[in-house]
Amino acid sequence: MTSDALGAAVPAAPVCAATRQPQPLLLGVGAGAAWRALVPCPAPTAIRCTLLHRYLRTARRRARALRRVLIVGEGAAVEVARHRVRLARAAGLTVPHAAPAARRGLPVLLKQTTDRLGALLLLVLLAPVFAVVAALIRLDSAGPVFYWQVRVGRDLAPFRMWKFRTMVVAADRMRTALESANEHDGAMFKMRRDPRVTRVGRVLRRFSLDELPQLCNVLAGHMSLVGPRPPLPEEVERYSGTELRRLSVKPGLTGLWQVSGRSDLSWDETVALDLSYVDNWSYGRDLDVLVRTVRAVLDGRGAY
């Protein structure tokens, strides 16, 4: 087998407790870009197999160093988008090959152009909305209209992210006292009934209007219209090597996390969605997320 092979069915593969069938193992060698791989058993319940989970954890660590992904063996399936799969030859066999997501060329140029022109157009069209929201914030509570935080962008680069203020002025100093009430697992802090949120702030969050000033971040090149959620520096400090891969692309104003349930998702589900976006990015997928964002905003599920 060539050195860029990721998956292979071997005689010593573990037996799945659910199907009693040998399972394909993942093997990884080499150096290069990072990859996330998931190989389920044929049966729906087999993913819970203890042996398989152990081998998957080992395989994921080894797979990070691979530039290419090859899968050999019946029942093996890598979590990749269909547009990335090609047929390739390895050791005299025809096997599926998962090509890396585009990082240059026309698709990337289209994304950059869409980001800048889209952000500029939306800022112009939504200017009346900005004015109304600013007036409501001023009337509701004392403090500035806008609020900024340092967030971490692509390749760990910090930037100043802007939002409409939805909390009281002293909200950041109050967070430490509320840590025990955090309703989210993992690195994020979320509360359904956060006492720091103002009356107008609850409405803005319900319809994601507080995020609109981030169009300025998109225009400045710090963010993209679509991408993973931009994390706080203290969140990044607790990231594992796997979670750090979320930062290999620009963070987004919207993304798979926002259109799939937002704060109702667990941390593991959030990371899985972001890594799926990173590994399987395409321009068409960005357009799909933008369309789904409209429905997610109107639905409001997980927005708090």
Side-chain angles (χ1 to χ4, degrees), residues 206-208 262 292-301:
R206 168 63 176 77
F207 295 102
S208 299
R262 289 187 272 192
R292 292 167 59 189
T293 297
V294 177
R295 182 174 59 188
V297 167
L298 296 177
D299 178 62
R301 184 167 63 95

Side-chain angles (χ1 to χ4, degrees), residues 218-280:
V218 176
L219 196 59
H222 303 136
M223 296 176 61
S224 174
L225 289 177
V226 181
R229 169 189 169 273
L232 293 163
E234 54 265 32
E235 294 174 351
V236 175
E237 289 175 0
R238 302 198 297 271
Y239 276 11
S240 66
T242 297
E243 291 161 350
L244 282 172
R245 294 202 303 117
R246 302 173 69 239
L247 304 177
S248 59
V249 298
K250 284 184 181 181
L253 178 63
T254 185
L256 290 178
W257 179 76
Q258 284 86 346
V259 302
S260 303
R262 289 187 272 192
S263 298
D264 287 344
L265 299 175
S266 69
W267 175 243
D268 286 343
E269 289 170 329
T270 299
V271 172
L273 287 171
D274 286 343
L275 294 186
S276 175
Y277 176 82
V278 170
D279 290 346
N280 299 301

Side-chain angles (χ1 to χ4, degrees), residues 8-287:
V10 298
V15 175
C16 173
T19 64
R20 310 306 302 171
Q21 298 295 320
Q23 299 307 308
L25 300 184
L26 285 177
L27 308 174
V29 292
W35 294 103
R36 176 176 181 269
L38 175 64
V39 178
C41 301
T45 59
I47 195 63
R48 303 182 184 90
C49 175
T50 302
L51 280 177
L52 184 58
H53 273 299
R54 186 170 70 232
Y55 277 97
L56 281 174
R57 285 195 296 270
T58 301
R60 283 171 182 158
R61 288 195 298 269
R62 294 177 179 176
R64 299 291 178 256
L66 290 179
R67 293 187 63 86
R68 295 169 60 192
V69 178
L70 293 177
I71 303 302
V72 182
E74 184 178 358
V78 176
E79 189 180 9
V80 297
R82 183 176 299 177
H83 71 269
R84 290 177 53 205
V85 179
R86 304 286 189 274
L87 292 181
R89 298 286 295 179
L93 300 174
T94 300
V95 294
H97 159 62
R103 292 291 182 261
R104 59 177 62 88
L106 182 59
V108 176
L109 180 60
L110 282 174
K111 178 180 177 67
Q112 294 171 347
T113 304
T114 302
D115 283 343
R116 299 297 176 90
L117 293 182
L120 181 60
L121 179 63
L122 287 172
L123 283 170
V124 173
L125 293 178
L126 295 175
V129 177
F130 273 69
V132 171
V133 171
L136 291 174
I137 293 173
R138 282 288 193 184
L139 293 172
D140 182 57
S141 61
V145 169
F146 297 102
Y147 168 80
W148 64 266
Q149 267 185 332
V150 174
R151 296 292 180 113
V152 180
R154 182 173 60 184
D155 299 329
L156 299 176
F159 68 96
R160 183 177 293 188
M161 188 187 79
W162 291 91
K163 301 178 71 172
F164 280 121
R165 183 176 60 84
T166 59
M167 292 185 174
V168 296
V169 173
D172 287 340
R173 295 193 296 272
M174 297 167 61
R175 174 171 167 171
T176 302
L178 297 171
E179 284 290 348
S180 59
N182 186 11
E183 299 176 19
H184 204 283
D185 63 339
M188 287 193 296
F189 178 88
K190 289 289 182 180
M191 291 178 62
R192 291 181 183 275
R193 293 294 177 183
D194 195 321
R196 302 172 298 169
V197 179
T198 64
R199 290 174 299 175
V200 168
R202 294 194 188 281
V203 177
L204 297 181
R205 289 185 170 210
R206 168 63 176 77
F207 295 102
S208 299
L209 294 175
D210 59 316
E211 311 285 353
L212 290 180
Q214 291 165 38
L215 289 169
C216 297
N217 290 116
V218 176
L219 196 59
H222 303 136
M223 296 176 61
S224 174
L225 289 177
V226 181
R229 169 189 169 273
L232 293 163
E234 54 265 32
E235 294 174 351
V236 175
E237 289 175 0
R238 302 198 297 271
Y239 276 11
S240 66
T242 297
E243 291 161 350
L244 282 172
R245 294 202 303 117
R246 302 173 69 239
L247 304 177
S248 59
V249 298
K250 284 184 181 181
L253 178 63
T254 185
L256 290 178
W257 179 76
Q258 284 86 346
V259 302
S260 303
R262 289 187 272 192
S263 298
D264 287 344
L265 299 175
S266 69
W267 175 243
D268 286 343
E269 289 170 329
T270 299
V271 172
L273 287 171
D274 286 343
L275 294 186
S276 175
Y277 176 82
V278 170
D279 290 346
N280 299 301
W281 177 82
S282 70
Y283 184 70
R285 199 176 197 191
D286 271 10
L287 296 180

